[in-house]
Amino acid sequence: MRTVVVIGGGIVGLATAWELTRRGLDVTVLEKEDRWAAHQTGHNSNVVHAGLYYKPGSFKARMSTAGNRSIVDFARQYGVPVEVCGKLVVATSEAELPALKVLAERAEANGVPAKLITPSEAREYEPEVSCVAALRVESTGIIDFPAVCSALVRLLDESDADLRLGTSALGIRPGRTGGVEVATGDEVIHADALVNCAGLHADRVARLAGLTPSARIVPFRGEYYELKPERRHLVRGLIYPVPDASLPFLGVHLTRMLDGSVHAGPNAVLALRREGYTWRDFSAKDLAEVARFPGVWRLARKYAYPTGLDEVRRSFSRRRFAESLARLVPAVTEDDIVRHGSGVRAQALRPDGALVDDFLIETARNQVHVLNAPSPAATSALEIAKHIADEVSS
């Protein structure tokens, strides 16, 4: 039986491991933390994306559209909470109407059920929303992604996969008789193939394996607020702004969660360490690595002012954050929101300063490396897993 080592215990790593076991491979999963879904998977907005935003034909377009169906089917089959509730993308000014129309055209090209609606029709879904037009997207949903991971772990246990928490990959080299060897603190694991799903550390793992990845991971923190319980009635479902097409982030939005709470966010600021969930989380090593990478300086020249500065100001100001939300729902004030954690997005950046806008998967002999898999990777996890399994099997 062929053996595979998967590095990373987030949703993409676990989904990949499960897909490999379904194809008859013997799988070992290494996760450096003491729990599964510890980082990106456990700190995201738990939205099942429809595939609306992405360039037709891209990995993101194809995998998120298919993933929207497969992750919902998986959740229903294995008892994971999920609700397909739809969402509104709202244009709050006439200037945003062309971009909203482009989104509608992209939805049609990607096979996403969506329609342009009037302000009065938008208020039938969201009575408190303010807009000049909106796009209603029917297939967007909300889910519990950590619970998806728990279900995958159960399935992997039943398949006799070797699941190892608290285990880091410290060295990777070609095997003496073929395949790969992965050194942990306790042993050297021999396998026929390696799959790198290390998320925030994916580029480092690739370099550890002897590759020179085409992009570098730069961590961006997204901070969330939530509406106070007495103000949750202001939002019935999901309300998104028209995004800036030049950025990989969708903008601050409002999301009703499965438990009835309403999350607001995220913004996007450079994190001061790979796993930097607050401004106090600081790593001299991580920051030095960022500072030495020319792509970061080229990105900064393009976006530091006013976009980056506005994001930092919003990070420190509840009033500014509330003002962003009030563009969508005018009744929201700074007294209505409280802090609610943050997440860190592993965003791949090229040396020329270009943000990688699609999933990036690179291969070497007996190796597959997932080097860019931010949102909508959780939605697309089962589809990414199939693609990786195909690469391993080829």
Short mmCIF file of all heavy atoms in Angstrom, two decimals, residues 318-358:
data_model
loop_
_atom_site.label_atom_id
_atom_site.label_comp_id
_atom_site.label_asym_id
_atom_site.label_seq_id
_atom_site.Cartn_x
_atom_site.Cartn_y
_atom_site.Cartn_z
N ARG A 318 -13.12 51.62 17.25
CA ARG A 318 -14.44 51.00 17.15
C ARG A 318 -15.40 51.89 16.37
O ARG A 318 -16.26 51.40 15.62
CB ARG A 318 -15.00 50.72 18.55
CG ARG A 318 -16.33 49.98 18.54
CD ARG A 318 -16.77 49.59 19.93
NE ARG A 318 -17.02 50.76 20.76
CZ ARG A 318 -17.61 50.70 21.96
NH1 ARG A 318 -17.97 49.53 22.46
NH2 ARG A 318 -17.80 51.81 22.66
N ARG A 319 -15.22 53.20 16.52
CA ARG A 319 -16.09 54.12 15.78
C ARG A 319 -15.92 53.95 14.28
O ARG A 319 -16.92 53.90 13.54
CB ARG A 319 -15.77 55.57 16.20
CG ARG A 319 -16.57 56.62 15.42
CD ARG A 319 -16.16 58.03 15.81
NE ARG A 319 -14.76 58.30 15.53
CZ ARG A 319 -14.28 58.61 14.32
NH1 ARG A 319 -15.10 58.68 13.27
NH2 ARG A 319 -12.99 58.85 14.16
N ARG A 320 -14.67 53.88 13.81
CA ARG A 320 -14.45 53.70 12.38
C ARG A 320 -15.00 52.36 11.89
O ARG A 320 -15.53 52.27 10.78
CB ARG A 320 -12.95 53.80 12.07
CG ARG A 320 -12.39 55.21 12.14
CD ARG A 320 -10.90 55.21 11.83
NE ARG A 320 -10.32 56.54 11.90
CZ ARG A 320 -10.27 57.41 10.91
NH1 ARG A 320 -10.78 57.06 9.72
NH2 ARG A 320 -9.73 58.59 11.06
N PHE A 321 -14.81 51.34 12.70
CA PHE A 321 -15.35 50.03 12.33
C PHE A 321 -16.86 50.11 12.18
O PHE A 321 -17.45 49.61 11.21
CB PHE A 321 -14.97 48.99 13.39
CG PHE A 321 -14.76 47.61 12.85
CD1 PHE A 321 -13.49 47.07 12.71
CD2 PHE A 321 -15.84 46.81 12.47
CE1 PHE A 321 -13.29 45.79 12.22
CE2 PHE A 321 -15.66 45.54 11.97
CZ PHE A 321 -14.38 45.02 11.85
N ALA A 322 -17.51 50.74 13.15
CA ALA A 322 -18.97 50.87 13.10
C ALA A 322 -19.42 51.70 11.90
O ALA A 322 -20.45 51.41 11.29
CB ALA A 322 -19.47 51.50 14.40
N GLU A 323 -18.65 52.71 11.54
CA GLU A 323 -19.00 53.53 10.37
C GLU A 323 -18.98 52.69 9.10
O GLU A 323 -19.82 52.88 8.20
CB GLU A 323 -18.03 54.70 10.25
CG GLU A 323 -18.27 55.79 11.30
CD GLU A 323 -17.19 56.87 11.26
OE1 GLU A 323 -16.19 56.68 10.52
OE2 GLU A 323 -17.34 57.88 11.97
N SER A 324 -18.04 51.76 8.99
CA SER A 324 -18.00 50.87 7.83
C SER A 324 -19.25 50.00 7.78
O SER A 324 -19.82 49.75 6.70
CB SER A 324 -16.75 49.99 7.89
OG SER A 324 -15.58 50.75 7.82
N LEU A 325 -19.68 49.52 8.93
CA LEU A 325 -20.89 48.69 8.99
C LEU A 325 -22.13 49.52 8.69
O LEU A 325 -23.08 49.02 8.06
CB LEU A 325 -21.01 48.05 10.38
CG LEU A 325 -19.86 47.14 10.80
CD1 LEU A 325 -20.03 46.71 12.25
CD2 LEU A 325 -19.78 45.91 9.90
N ALA A 326 -22.11 50.76 9.13
CA ALA A 326 -23.29 51.63 8.94
C ALA A 326 -23.52 51.96 7.47
O ALA A 326 -24.63 52.34 7.09
CB ALA A 326 -23.14 52.90 9.76
N ARG A 327 -22.50 51.82 6.63
CA ARG A 327 -22.72 51.98 5.19
C ARG A 327 -23.70 50.93 4.69
O ARG A 327 -24.47 51.18 3.76
CB ARG A 327 -21.40 51.85 4.42
CG ARG A 327 -20.43 52.98 4.63
CD ARG A 327 -19.17 52.80 3.80
NE ARG A 327 -19.47 52.76 2.37
CZ ARG A 327 -19.29 51.70 1.59
NH1 ARG A 327 -18.85 50.55 2.10
NH2 ARG A 327 -19.56 51.77 0.30
N LEU A 328 -23.69 49.77 5.32
CA LEU A 328 -24.57 48.67 4.92
C LEU A 328 -25.89 48.71 5.68
O LEU A 328 -26.96 48.54 5.09
CB LEU A 328 -23.88 47.32 5.16
CG LEU A 328 -22.46 47.15 4.60
CD1 LEU A 328 -21.89 45.81 5.03
CD2 LEU A 328 -22.47 47.26 3.09
N VAL A 329 -25.78 48.93 6.98
CA VAL A 329 -26.96 48.98 7.86
C VAL A 329 -26.85 50.25 8.71
O VAL A 329 -26.15 50.26 9.73
CB VAL A 329 -27.05 47.72 8.75
CG1 VAL A 329 -28.24 47.83 9.70
CG2 VAL A 329 -27.15 46.47 7.90
N PRO A 330 -27.49 51.33 8.30
CA PRO A 330 -27.31 52.63 8.97
C PRO A 330 -27.64 52.63 10.45
O PRO A 330 -27.13 53.48 11.19
CB PRO A 330 -28.25 53.55 8.19
CG PRO A 330 -28.34 52.94 6.82
CD PRO A 330 -28.30 51.46 7.06
N ALA A 331 -28.46 51.71 10.91
CA ALA A 331 -28.84 51.70 12.31
C ALA A 331 -27.72 51.24 13.24
O ALA A 331 -27.81 51.42 14.46
CB ALA A 331 -30.07 50.79 12.51
N VAL A 332 -26.66 50.66 12.69
CA VAL A 332 -25.55 50.18 13.52
C VAL A 332 -24.70 51.36 13.98
O VAL A 332 -24.26 52.18 13.16
CB VAL A 332 -24.68 49.17 12.75
CG1 VAL A 332 -23.44 48.80 13.58
CG2 VAL A 332 -25.46 47.91 12.42
N THR A 333 -24.46 51.44 15.29
CA THR A 333 -23.59 52.47 15.86
C THR A 333 -22.45 51.81 16.62
O THR A 333 -22.46 50.60 16.86
CB THR A 333 -24.38 53.38 16.82
OG1 THR A 333 -24.70 52.63 18.01
CG2 THR A 333 -25.66 53.88 16.18
N GLU A 334 -21.49 52.61 17.05
CA GLU A 334 -20.35 52.04 17.78
C GLU A 334 -20.79 51.45 19.13
O GLU A 334 -20.12 50.56 19.66
CB GLU A 334 -19.24 53.06 17.99
CG GLU A 334 -19.50 54.16 18.96
CD GLU A 334 -18.26 55.03 19.17
OE1 GLU A 334 -17.24 54.52 19.69
OE2 GLU A 334 -18.32 56.22 18.81
N ASP A 335 -21.90 51.90 19.67
CA ASP A 335 -22.39 51.33 20.93
C ASP A 335 -23.02 49.95 20.74
O ASP A 335 -23.30 49.25 21.72
CB ASP A 335 -23.42 52.27 21.56
CG ASP A 335 -22.81 53.57 22.04
OD1 ASP A 335 -21.60 53.56 22.38
OD2 ASP A 335 -23.51 54.60 22.05
N ASP A 336 -23.23 49.57 19.48
CA ASP A 336 -23.90 48.29 19.20
C ASP A 336 -22.94 47.12 19.02
O ASP A 336 -23.38 45.97 18.90
CB ASP A 336 -24.74 48.40 17.91
CG ASP A 336 -25.86 49.41 18.03
OD1 ASP A 336 -26.38 49.58 19.15
OD2 ASP A 336 -26.22 50.03 17.00
N ILE A 337 -21.62 47.38 18.97
CA ILE A 337 -20.68 46.32 18.64
C ILE A 337 -19.65 46.12 19.74
O ILE A 337 -19.29 47.06 20.46
CB ILE A 337 -19.96 46.58 17.30
CG1 ILE A 337 -19.18 47.90 17.33
CG2 ILE A 337 -20.97 46.59 16.15
CD1 ILE A 337 -18.34 48.16 16.08
N VAL A 338 -19.21 44.88 19.89
CA VAL A 338 -18.15 44.52 20.85
C VAL A 338 -17.14 43.63 20.14
O VAL A 338 -17.46 42.93 19.18
CB VAL A 338 -18.73 43.79 22.08
CG1 VAL A 338 -19.59 44.73 22.90
CG2 VAL A 338 -19.51 42.55 21.67
N ARG A 339 -15.90 43.65 20.62
CA ARG A 339 -14.83 42.86 20.02
C ARG A 339 -15.17 41.37 20.06
O ARG A 339 -15.77 40.87 21.02
CB ARG A 339 -13.52 43.08 20.77
CG ARG A 339 -12.91 44.46 20.56
CD ARG A 339 -12.00 44.47 19.36
NE ARG A 339 -11.29 45.75 19.20
CZ ARG A 339 -10.52 46.02 18.19
NH1 ARG A 339 -10.33 45.13 17.22
NH2 ARG A 339 -9.92 47.20 18.10
N HIS A 340 -14.74 40.67 19.00
CA HIS A 340 -14.98 39.23 18.96
C HIS A 340 -13.86 38.50 18.21
O HIS A 340 -14.07 37.93 17.15
CB HIS A 340 -16.34 38.92 18.30
CG HIS A 340 -16.72 37.47 18.40
ND1 HIS A 340 -17.25 36.92 19.54
CD2 HIS A 340 -16.62 36.45 17.51
CE1 HIS A 340 -17.49 35.63 19.36
NE2 HIS A 340 -17.10 35.32 18.13
N GLY A 341 -12.66 38.57 18.74
CA GLY A 341 -11.57 37.76 18.22
C GLY A 341 -11.07 38.18 16.85
O GLY A 341 -11.46 39.22 16.30
N SER A 342 -10.20 37.35 16.29
CA SER A 342 -9.61 37.63 15.00
C SER A 342 -9.10 36.34 14.37
O SER A 342 -9.03 35.30 15.01
CB SER A 342 -8.44 38.63 15.15
OG SER A 342 -7.42 38.07 15.95
N GLY A 343 -8.76 36.44 13.10
CA GLY A 343 -8.14 35.34 12.38
C GLY A 343 -6.96 35.87 11.60
O GLY A 343 -6.81 37.09 11.42
N VAL A 344 -6.10 34.97 11.14
CA VAL A 344 -4.96 35.36 10.32
C VAL A 344 -5.04 34.63 8.99
O VAL A 344 -5.13 33.40 8.95
CB VAL A 344 -3.61 35.07 11.01
CG1 VAL A 344 -2.45 35.49 10.12
CG2 VAL A 344 -3.53 35.79 12.35
N ARG A 345 -5.00 35.39 7.92
CA ARG A 345 -5.08 34.85 6.57
C ARG A 345 -3.66 34.63 6.03
O ARG A 345 -2.83 35.54 6.06
CB ARG A 345 -5.83 35.83 5.67
CG ARG A 345 -5.91 35.45 4.19
CD ARG A 345 -6.47 36.62 3.39
NE ARG A 345 -6.57 36.35 1.96
CZ ARG A 345 -7.72 36.12 1.32
NH1 ARG A 345 -8.86 36.15 1.99
NH2 ARG A 345 -7.72 35.90 0.03
N ALA A 346 -3.39 33.43 5.55
CA ALA A 346 -2.12 33.12 4.91
C ALA A 346 -2.21 33.52 3.45
O ALA A 346 -2.69 32.76 2.61
CB ALA A 346 -1.81 31.64 5.04
N GLN A 347 -1.76 34.74 3.15
CA GLN A 347 -1.85 35.28 1.80
C GLN A 347 -0.51 35.14 1.09
O GLN A 347 0.50 35.64 1.56
CB GLN A 347 -2.27 36.74 1.83
CG GLN A 347 -2.28 37.41 0.48
CD GLN A 347 -3.29 36.79 -0.47
OE1 GLN A 347 -4.46 36.61 -0.13
NE2 GLN A 347 -2.84 36.44 -1.67
N ALA A 348 -0.51 34.47 -0.04
CA ALA A 348 0.72 34.32 -0.82
C ALA A 348 0.98 35.59 -1.63
O ALA A 348 0.08 36.17 -2.22
CB ALA A 348 0.63 33.11 -1.74
N LEU A 349 2.25 35.98 -1.65
CA LEU A 349 2.67 37.20 -2.34
C LEU A 349 3.88 36.87 -3.21
O LEU A 349 4.82 36.20 -2.76
CB LEU A 349 3.03 38.27 -1.29
CG LEU A 349 3.51 39.62 -1.79
CD1 LEU A 349 2.39 40.34 -2.54
CD2 LEU A 349 3.99 40.47 -0.60
N ARG A 350 3.88 37.36 -4.43
CA ARG A 350 5.00 37.10 -5.34
C ARG A 350 6.08 38.17 -5.17
O ARG A 350 5.81 39.27 -4.66
CB ARG A 350 4.51 37.06 -6.78
CG ARG A 350 3.50 35.94 -7.03
CD ARG A 350 3.31 35.68 -8.51
NE ARG A 350 2.22 34.74 -8.76
CZ ARG A 350 2.35 33.41 -8.71
NH1 ARG A 350 3.53 32.88 -8.40
NH2 ARG A 350 1.32 32.63 -8.97
N PRO A 351 7.30 37.89 -5.60
CA PRO A 351 8.39 38.86 -5.42
C PRO A 351 8.13 40.21 -6.08
O PRO A 351 8.67 41.23 -5.65
CB PRO A 351 9.59 38.16 -6.07
CG PRO A 351 9.29 36.70 -5.92
CD PRO A 351 7.80 36.59 -6.10
N ASP A 352 7.29 40.25 -7.13
CA ASP A 352 7.00 41.52 -7.78
C ASP A 352 5.92 42.32 -7.07
O ASP A 352 5.51 43.39 -7.53
CB ASP A 352 6.60 41.30 -9.25
CG ASP A 352 5.30 40.51 -9.40
OD1 ASP A 352 4.70 40.12 -8.38
OD2 ASP A 352 4.89 40.27 -10.55
N GLY A 353 5.45 41.81 -5.92
CA GLY A 353 4.43 42.51 -5.14
C GLY A 353 3.01 42.13 -5.49
O GLY A 353 2.06 42.68 -4.92
N ALA A 354 2.83 41.20 -6.42
CA ALA A 354 1.48 40.78 -6.82
C ALA A 354 0.91 39.79 -5.81
O ALA A 354 1.56 38.80 -5.45
CB ALA A 354 1.51 40.14 -8.21
N LEU A 355 -0.30 40.07 -5.34
CA LEU A 355 -1.01 39.12 -4.49
C LEU A 355 -1.48 37.94 -5.33
O LEU A 355 -2.06 38.14 -6.40
CB LEU A 355 -2.21 39.81 -3.83
CG LEU A 355 -1.88 40.90 -2.80
CD1 LEU A 355 -3.06 41.83 -2.63
CD2 LEU A 355 -1.47 40.29 -1.48
N VAL A 356 -1.22 36.73 -4.88
CA VAL A 356 -1.69 35.56 -5.60
C VAL A 356 -3.20 35.49 -5.40
O VAL A 356 -3.69 35.37 -4.28
CB VAL A 356 -1.02 34.27 -5.08
CG1 VAL A 356 -1.55 33.05 -5.83
CG2 VAL A 356 0.49 34.37 -5.25
N ASP A 357 -3.96 35.57 -6.50
CA ASP A 357 -5.41 35.67 -6.38
C ASP A 357 -6.13 34.36 -6.62
O ASP A 357 -7.36 34.32 -6.65
CB ASP A 357 -5.96 36.75 -7.31
CG ASP A 357 -5.72 36.45 -8.77
OD1 ASP A 357 -5.09 35.42 -9.08
OD2 ASP A 357 -6.15 37.25 -9.63
N ASP A 358 -5.38 33.27 -6.79
CA ASP A 358 -6.00 31.96 -6.98
C ASP A 358 -5.33 30.97 -6.04
O ASP A 358 -4.27 31.26 -5.46
CB ASP A 358 -5.84 31.51 -8.44
CG ASP A 358 -6.88 30.46 -8.85
OD1 ASP A 358 -7.70 30.06 -8.00
OD2 ASP A 358 -6.85 30.03 -10.01
#
